[in-house]
Amino acid sequence: MKQNNIAIRCITEKSKGYGNFSRCLVLAKALRKHRYAITFLINKNKFVLSKLHQEKFTYFLIPDSIQYSGDSIVLKQFMEYANSHVIILDMREYGEKLSKQLCKENFKIVLIDDAWVSRCYADVIINGTIPTKYHKYSKIKQDSKLFVGPKYFITNPEFQKNKKKKSEIKSQKKYHITVSMGGADPKNTTMFVLKCLHIIKNIRISAIVGPFFTNTDKIEQFATTHPAIKIIKNPTKIWNLFKKSDLVISNSGSTLYELTIMQIPSLCITSFKHEMPNANAFSKIGVTVNLGKWNEIKPNRILSETSKIIENREKRRQMSCSSERIIDGNGINRVVRIISDLITC
């Protein structure tokens, strides 16, 4: 079995957002620099396929006729055919069952988890989240290794390289606010936030529209009648946009972690139940203000919290300083070393 062959099985459903694939793409690029050959095992998704072509990664399409419960058969066959030594699973709620079905095979399993797994069948579990409630695993495979906490958060190194300087946090006549609700925004929170913010006179707004948005046309139409709003589609270097922002209004998923690495003041909104512990943890530390669940927020709350923060330079500096001790942004390097050690042991 060739030790440099690694397969990555990640979820690419539009309804699940872009975060799992984005994370795996970052990891794949880092592993390739260490001379590992990477193959993605995915369900068909035009945007994902275009990204893989662009980054020159090989891929294998899981047939549409196969549901997630039947993945293991295809994965076993592929691993044998490709002579692969390691498979990385980033499959949200399907990850535990898949790892259970594959755990006795002649290859090693790395499972990337956020909030979905409770029993550990994989050789390695990597969980880069902050909430400790998501770090509790029952070891079914006793020699499994667990790596939990934000030091293992996987993201593009550019976020760490482009941290906001304290000197850039200042009082201004006009402030730049970015709205970033992830790759899918199934709750249409972006539109809700824009309708709340556009009445504030001393701000410019950049609204990021992700690849899996379903209401892009309506957002663009709204922006045409509000000149302070600029629509940014699928930015390839999103950290540049964040760095220019005085405040970011984001979801409570991976974007919140990236903003913390960059030390950008933020307000966060929770779109899914599993994100709430993230929002609570970051808010308690002081790096963000948790506005609450998407369907419970009053427009006046967004207006008042936004105005309160942008008009208070010291508050924004305190939020930025609070970020320093949480995530250093070097998780990708640690994870690559973990996978390399697993392969060579």
Side-chain angles (χ1 to χ4, degrees):
M1 184 173 288
K2 292 183 179 179
Q3 289 195 338
N4 69 331
N5 287 351
I6 299 176
I8 297 178
R9 174 69 175 119
C10 63
I11 203 160
T12 54
E13 285 184 30
K14 288 184 178 181
S15 62
K16 307 292 186 182
Y18 184 51
N20 299 85
F21 171 70
S22 177
R23 170 166 62 193
C24 286
L25 188 59
V26 169
L27 180 55
K29 290 164 75 172
L31 287 166
R32 183 164 61 183
K33 289 181 180 178
H34 288 75
R35 301 186 181 279
Y36 292 109
I38 311 296
T39 302
F40 279 80
L41 311 175
I42 56 170
N43 296 92
K44 189 173 182 180
N45 178 301
K46 289 183 179 180
F47 177 81
V48 169
L49 293 180
S50 69
K51 290 295 290 184
L52 292 176
H53 280 297
Q54 179 183 335
E55 299 292 348
K56 298 181 180 175
F57 279 108
T58 58
Y59 60 86
F60 174 82
L61 290 178
I62 305 293
D64 291 338
S65 58
I66 296 177
Q67 301 299 316
Y68 292 119
S69 58
D71 259 20
S72 60
I73 298 172
V74 176
L75 297 184
K76 289 176 189 177
Q77 292 173 343
F78 176 85
M79 295 297 285
E80 183 178 348
Y81 168 78
N83 205 21
S84 291
H85 187 61
V86 169
I87 186 166
I88 299 170
L89 301 176
D90 194 344
M91 294 293 291
R92 291 168 65 105
E93 63 266 38
Y94 309 109
E96 183 176 309
K97 185 174 182 178
L98 265 179
S99 60
K100 179 180 180 180
Q101 293 170 337
L102 296 172
C103 68
K104 294 182 180 179
E105 299 302 317
N106 189 31
F107 49 80
K108 297 180 179 180
I109 302 169
V110 176
L111 181 62
I112 301 175
D113 182 41
D114 296 309
W116 311 98
V117 175
S118 60
R119 290 171 292 183
C120 181
Y121 296 93
D123 296 277
V124 166
I125 283 188
I126 295 166
N127 182 331
T129 62
I130 283 182
T132 55
K133 67 173 291 184
Y134 292 144
H135 299 168
K136 299 174 183 177
Y137 298 97
S138 299
K139 278 191 178 184
I140 308 302
K141 190 172 182 177
Q142 291 305 310
D143 59 350
S144 298
K145 295 182 179 180
L146 307 178
F147 300 90
V148 300
K151 67 184 293 185
Y152 302 108
F153 180 75
I154 299 169
T155 195
N156 195 307
E158 292 297 326
F159 289 104
Q160 194 274 339
K161 293 177 183 177
N162 286 278
K163 289 192 289 189
K164 198 173 188 72
K165 298 176 182 177
K166 300 300 179 292
S167 60
E168 296 174 316
I169 300 176
K170 51 192 175 182
S171 299
Q172 300 176 174
K173 291 183 178 180
K174 204 148 197 169
Y175 294 94
H176 184 191
I177 295 178
T178 296
V179 180
S180 180
M181 291 296 156
D185 191 17
K187 312 299 185 185
N188 296 326
T189 312
T190 300
M191 178 67 88
F192 172 70
V193 172
L194 293 179
K195 287 181 177 180
C196 294
L197 292 182
H198 80 274
I199 64 173
I200 302 177
K201 301 300 183 183
N202 63 334
I203 63 171
R204 294 177 292 111
I205 305 169
S206 293
I208 296 176
V209 174
F212 301 154
F213 273 45
T214 57
N215 65 334
T216 302
D217 291 344
K218 291 182 180 179
I219 294 173
E220 289 181 325
Q221 185 177 7
F222 182 79
T224 58
T225 58
H226 299 88
I229 300 174
K230 182 179 181 181
I231 305 300
I232 312 291
K233 288 186 178 180
N234 308 329
T236 56
K237 298 180 180 179
I238 196 171
W239 45 85
N240 287 337
L241 189 56
F242 287 162
K243 189 172 184 179
K244 295 175 183 176
S245 304
D246 298 294
L247 177 70
V248 177
I249 301 177
S250 80
N251 62 19
S252 301
S254 59
T255 305
L256 189 53
Y257 285 79
E258 292 160 354
L259 292 169
T260 302
I261 291 170
M262 293 190 69
Q263 300 177 20
I264 308 290
S266 66
L267 304 176
C268 70
I269 296 172
T270 300
S271 298
F272 301 98
K273 182 180 178 180
H274 74 273
E275 292 180 347
M276 186 59 76
N278 284 329
N280 290 335
F282 280 101
S283 180
K284 186 176 181 180
I285 294 165
V287 302
T288 190
V289 173
N290 179 13
L291 295 176
K293 292 175 62 177
W294 66 277
N295 59 342
E296 296 178 357
I297 303 170
K298 304 299 182 185
N300 285 344
R301 177 89 195 280
I302 293 181
L303 284 171
S304 63
E305 292 293 348
T306 299
S307 298
K308 190 187 303 181
I309 290 175
I310 62 173
E311 293 170 4
N312 189 334
R313 183 189 64 179
E314 290 308 312
K315 173 66 174 176
R316 286 184 282 123
R317 286 187 173 178
Q318 288 172 10
M319 295 172 79
S320 180
C321 289
S322 296
S323 303
E324 291 179 334
R325 65 181 187 272
I326 305 174
I327 314 175
D328 62 12
N330 293 317
I332 184 65
N333 297 322
R334 297 185 182 99
V335 172
V336 168
R337 284 198 296 271
I338 290 165
I339 295 172
S340 296
D341 290 345
L342 176 67
I343 291 172
T344 56
C345 69

